Amino acid sequence: MQINTIQTTPHPGQKPGTSGLRAKTKQFQTPNYLENFVQSVFEATGGMVGKSLTLGGDGRFYNREACQIILKMAAANGAAKVYVGQNGLLSTPAASAVIRELKTDGGMILSASHNPGGLDGDFGIKYNVPAGGPAPESITGAIHALSEKIVTYKIIEADDIDLTEIGTQMLGDMVVEVIDPVAIYEDLMAALFDFEAIRALFDSGFSMCFDAMNAITGPYAKRIIEGTLGAPVGTVVNGEPLPDFGGLHPDPNPVYAKPLMDLMMGPDAPDLGAASDGDGDRNMIVGRGQFVTPSDSLAILAANAHLAPGYKDGINGIARSMPTSRAADRVAKKLGIEMHETPTGWKFFGTLLDAGRVTICGEESAGTGSDHVREKDGLWAVLLWLNVLAVRRCSVVDVVHGHWQEYGRDYYTRHDYEAVDKDIADAIISGIRDRLDKLAGASFNGLGVEKALDFRYEDPIDGSVAEHQGLQVYFDNGSRCVIRLSGTGTSGATIRVYLERFEDDPEQMGYDTQDAVGPLIEAMEELAQIKEWTGRKKPDVIT
Ligand code: VG1
Ligand code: CO
């Protein structure tokens, strides 16, 4: 086996963001860009000699080529074995399940998640630790530092591995095992959920539309929902992973999954609508005529989890990302269990999950998951909903409205301003941050500010600290606004404004969300002046 040591120079800025390194596909294709990062990961994690790795991606453009490069680099760096999903495919939650089940020394997931793919889209790579979760900031920081001074990387000269056939091959001295991307994941789901009850639900005529958005969840949803659970063929739509996701933006929200929303709001709506994102870790849940906000979905799943066999003894605790609504907090309070508020990004849940302090986690961006893996898991959330509906035998609308009656309703929306000039976005944030101390007592659009904070998180397990994780403005009437910059975009800056208003008067629970938070939107504009600064008339995306 010929190992080549290739001279290289750093590509500045290879800093993993909220979830891995993301960049334009064409940037990833520039010479040594991917190689530099992969070599930096290997070295930041103590080298690959004798180690094993899990590898796969969401099937987007450049997935296969990147797999071949990483395999040859792993072999050159002395790895013992790599498990790779057939055709280079693994959803993010499945990769986490494989890392844990096969006890590999970590994994690499090729995906830019909900970002569009294709030659003119985005590509990305995430490194996950042996526990199965995204690398914490201590590791991503070390990777970035190495990438800034890299001078060589190692790769072997060999033919490409055939990724189409399941089985074992050799690449130099390294074993490559091509695995069924679904099997380990499906076994895990079967252990958590009452598949018999869900099958009986479908047998009784329950109808569903699962929009896989031409991304990775298609093969998983088809095999499990249409196959094992017996839903009619055609339940899963857009079920073939395509390199450019068929031109779709694989972000499961009412804007980008509009055809599903239209179906669910129309006369022929099935009982349940669901969608997932590029790499399969997000979920969208829609009932007949009723979108379920991800924050509500987290609270509802936490309150009902005991109906599924995997959680029958109850849950230990709940964690949510800071901008996620506080609906789940009320569930935790009622259950008498721990509640944690963490910064945005799944990597912050890992220590709490590993320590057994929390069982269910969620984010407002349509991510929900549990301690079965260390990633958010789109299909898991859909299966838990199905399990709950199979036991309760009522509609999604009944579940949601019943929850509001019991706990109150959190009107919730997120307004995104995309591709904003970076300097302007920074100026907006620092403009508010500079005034933060003086905001308490002030009022905007007639709403008094109770307190305003720059969110800082100290991990209760390992003591690590993350600062500047978003600005929070709490109003006297219990409403809250959060503003932060996205860490997953690849052009300019994206400003995210999160708005929520709690309502426990049943008479006041039936408004349209945008109307219900209208005064809050005005208050936030008065404070942040985003329209003024950016010249935009409205947000680019409202979810
Ligand atoms: C976004 C979401 C965040 C999520 C992250 C990764 O991050 O807001 O909740 O964890 O994407 O999701 P940001 O920094 O752009 O707000 V995924 O499904 O794209 O890996
Ligand atoms: Co994702």
Side-chain angles (χ1 to χ4, degrees), residues 17-20 22 92 111-115 126 250-252 277-282 321 323-324 343-347 349 362-367 375-376 414 416 484-489 494 496 498:
T18 311
S19 176
R22 294 189 194 179
T92 288
S111 172
S113 189
H114 61 286
N115 299 17
K126 309 189 254 191
D251 191 349
D277 73 333
D279 63 331
D281 55 1
R282 297 189 182 197
S321 67
T324 304
T344 296
W346 211 261
K347 59 188 170 206
F349 294 131
E363 296 194 278
E364 55 67 41
S365 53
E375 289 276 7
K376 52 191 186 278
R414 186 177 98 189
D416 291 336
R484 61 178 281 279
L485 298 184
S486 157
T488 57
T494 293
R496 302 202 195 284
Y498 311 79

Side-chain angles (χ1 to χ4, degrees), residues 411-433:
Y411 286 105
Y412 189 88
T413 185
R414 186 177 98 189
H415 290 190
D416 291 336
Y417 298 82
E418 295 182 336
V420 174
D421 181 273
K422 179 108 181 42
D423 292 339
I424 290 180
D426 287 341
I428 292 172
I429 297 290
S430 55
I432 305 172
R433 186 177 285 135

Side-chain angles (χ1 to χ4, degrees), residues 303-316:
N304 289 276
H306 61 278
L307 300 177
Y311 309 93
K312 67 178 187 327
D313 298 328
I315 56 176
N316 294 343

Side-chain angles (χ1 to χ4, degrees), residues 4 54 91 113 145 246 312 397 414 425 462 496 506 532:
N4 291 331
T54 298
S91 76
S113 189
K312 67 178 187 327
V397 173
R414 186 177 98 189
D462 68 10
R496 302 202 195 284
E532 184 79 27

